[in-house]
Amino acid sequence: MSTEKTLILIKPDGIRRGLVGEVISRIESKGYLIEALRMLNADRALLEKHYAEHVGKPFYEPLVEFMMSGPIIVIVASGERVIEGFRSLAGVTDPTLAVPGTIRGDLARDQGTKVVQNIVHGSDSPESAAREIAIFFPK
Ligand code: DAT
Ligand code: MG
């Protein structure tokens, strides 16, 4: 059985605030392996694929605008149960409620914006991980 993989994004707020090293350090310190990493400016078409499940929600357009507001870093990390493990490292979606000790709990807060700015994305299931990795790292 091959080791599980997940797709992690460091969002534009994470880059603007100089938290790239901190986020990568937390992934590595936990013991996950960085398998691939690239920086890019995501366009609308790419984000529409990545966030397909959220199309039509009130925060969808602000989310896309936010994700296009600067470069992002795309990471594939691997390890046993890395999908749930990284979600645990990241903390819950709302940074106000994310537990201290997590990336979102320690490093983000409510900015009063229409979309929550919470530093990182992590795949939420094996199906999402496979789909998202294929979007950002097409064969
Ligand atoms: P997660 O990133 O924790 O998997 P999600 O997939 O439900 O959360 O949503 C994608 C992103 O959209 C999330 O990281 C922040 C933003 N978001 C989600 N729900 C929101 C809401 N109710 N209001 C504003 N932004 C929201
Ligand atoms: Mg999600």
Side-chain angles (χ1 to χ4, degrees):
M1 202 183 91
S2 64
T3 312
E4 189 170 272
K5 289 184 170 66
T6 194
L7 185 94
I8 296 166
L9 302 178
I10 306 179
K11 300 182 183 186
D13 58 332
I15 295 178
R16 276 196 283 274
R17 294 185 45 219
L19 297 171
V20 172
E22 172 79 31
V23 170
I24 292 173
S25 175
R26 288 180 185 221
I27 297 166
E28 291 188 320
S29 298
K30 181 74 174 176
Y32 299 129
L33 186 67
I34 306 291
E35 298 268 0
L37 187 153
R38 63 190 278 234
M39 189 175 201
L40 57 90
N41 290 284
D43 63 17
R44 188 171 287 275
L46 190 71
L47 293 167
E48 199 158 303
K49 280 193 216 162
H50 176 66
Y51 282 126
E53 64 174 310
H54 297 307
V55 172
K57 293 184 184 171
F59 60 85
Y60 176 72
E61 187 54 32
L63 175 61
V64 169
E65 293 288 335
F66 166 58
M67 293 298 287
M68 293 193 303
S69 69
I72 61 172
I73 286 174
V74 189
I75 295 168
V76 176
S78 69
E80 302 306 323
R81 299 173 71 195
V82 66
I83 295 171
E84 60 182 315
F86 179 75
R87 297 278 292 185
S88 175
L89 280 184
V92 298
T93 307
D94 181 349
T96 299
L97 302 179
V99 174
T102 64
I103 293 168
R104 290 161 168 176
D106 285 347
L107 307 174
R109 68 168 174 85
D110 196 321
Q111 301 286 342
T113 48
K114 282 185 188 153
V115 70
V116 172
Q117 303 191 4
N118 54 14
I119 318 267
V120 288
H121 163 86
S123 307
D124 63 8
S125 67
E127 297 70 31
S128 302
R131 193 181 69 81
E132 293 170 1
I133 290 168
I135 291 170
F136 287 97
F137 293 96
K139 288 265 153 56

